[in-house]
Amino acid sequence: MVSIRLRLIALFVLLVTVTLAGFGVYGQLRLSSELEQRFADRQKEALIRLRTSLPTALWNYDKAQTERIIQAELEPIEVTSVTVLDAKSNVIAKVLRKDSKDTPIPTTPDANNPSVEAALFIDPAVEAVAPANSDGASIGRVVVTFSRAYIDTALRAALTGRLVEILLLDGLLIIALTGSLNVVFKPIARLRDALFDLAAQDGEDAKELPKSNQKEFGEVIEGFNQTLRKLRQVIARRAQAEEAVRVAAARTEVAYKDLQAAQESLVQSEKLAGLGGMVAGVAHEINTPVSIVVTGATVLDMATVQIRKAVAEGNIRKSDITAYLDTASESVRLIMGNAERAAHLIQSFKQVAVDQTSDQRRPFDLKIYLQELTTSLQPSLRKARTTVELVCDEEVHMDSYPGLLAQVLTNLTMNAITHAFAQDTPGRILIAAHCVNDLVFLAFSDDGMGIPSEHLGKIFDPFFTTRRGQGGTGLGLHIVFNIVTKQLGGSISAHNNPHRGACFNLCVPRVTPSAANA
């Protein structure tokens, strides 16, 4: 990651370098133009002087004068040689600069060492009308060779100077920017270190920054210090809030445990209440056949005593024996019928009661078990003037918890007796069961008043009841929901029938998963 400081320095250096380079290029071009113009002027001036001074010396064949004249033309640094030729192109005089080599007169133009020549005339009138390189009426010609090395050297020197100038200015700019930016970035670095320190120490032990004399950064530092103070206040309030939350959580946990204990106690009470009601109903139901058995046995005993007395006295008659046999037959019939009825009631109640109190898993036939359950519920149903119709597929063999299933159907039955039917109004309950792909579907429906629509979404909630204060705890259907969904591994839903009454649809596995009742 490139720092802002380096980016700023690079940007300013680049701008200055480009600006100076632009001015340098402009200056270089201007210098080159000036040198080229000076070079051309020197060529013209040299030719003018030589055409003026050489014709007389050449006409008089004064070689010494000729050499002195052309020697004077070597003073400009651009001139490398001057050659004077006669009309027949014979060299009369030639001078060279000391650092130049003697070269023949070039026949083709040389870009680095250009040469200029001019014809020499003794008569100015002829010179005025004759071309500069014309041999007509001329007494000779002069050839001056120039060198461009001076121009190239001057341009290189100027370029080198400008490069050195750019480098020096860039160096001074870097030093100046580094010093200037340090003034800006040092307070920023202090602020950065303070922020890292604040993050590392969670604001509790972080120190405030000392005040700065610089107005701009002084305001920033003061803002940081105020933020730090506010943060400390927030941390202190958060610590207090966390402590309050911990205390509240501890209290809530205690209250929740108390609530769970109370709920478990209420659930057990609800179970025992259901079982107690069943016991009372069965006891009342058994009381009738047992009373008839006792009465029949008493009548038979009295008849036996009388017939034995008659036999002992020898006064027995055929009619007495016939009457005794009739009484015995009727008594035995009543005793046997009611004894079997009581035994059936006791057996059904025993199996259902054992299942409800033990919650043991075992295989059982669903239809037979439902018949036993409805038999044990008959006292409560008869008292409420409610009949139960059972429709179940044959040979639905389940491996589950019959006690839990009995508790579910018992609670649904008692809930229907309590809420579905008006007082002293006959009612009807239908329990339909069938098995599809190892899933048992039970529909428990009644022809009562149904469930108000605003209560449909709440009936399985704990402690929800419409008869609070009238014996309702609001746990019956909640227990049903928990048993079906958690212990039997199934599902349950409720809805109102289109015509009349409510319906509870249960779906449970025929073989309860081992983890369902865990």
Side-chain angles (χ1 to χ4, degrees), residues 279-295 338-339 341-343 345-346 379 382:
V279 168
V282 170
H284 177 74
E285 189 72 15
I286 291 176
N287 185 57
T288 299
V290 169
S291 298
I292 295 174
V293 169
V294 172
T295 302
N338 284 278
R341 179 183 174 190
L345 287 172
I346 292 171
R382 189 178 297 110

Side-chain angles (χ1 to χ4, degrees), residues 17-39:
T17 302
V18 170
T19 302
L20 293 177
F23 282 108
V25 170
Y26 172 75
Q28 197 76 2
L29 293 175
R30 184 173 179 179
L31 177 61
S32 175
S33 177
E34 292 176 352
L35 291 175
E36 291 290 344
Q37 184 62 42
R38 175 184 172 186
F39 190 76

Side-chain angles (χ1 to χ4, degrees), residues 418-431:
T418 304
H419 298 281
F421 309 113
Q423 189 174 4
D424 298 330
T425 301
R428 177 176 173 273
I429 294 175
L430 172 64
I431 301 176

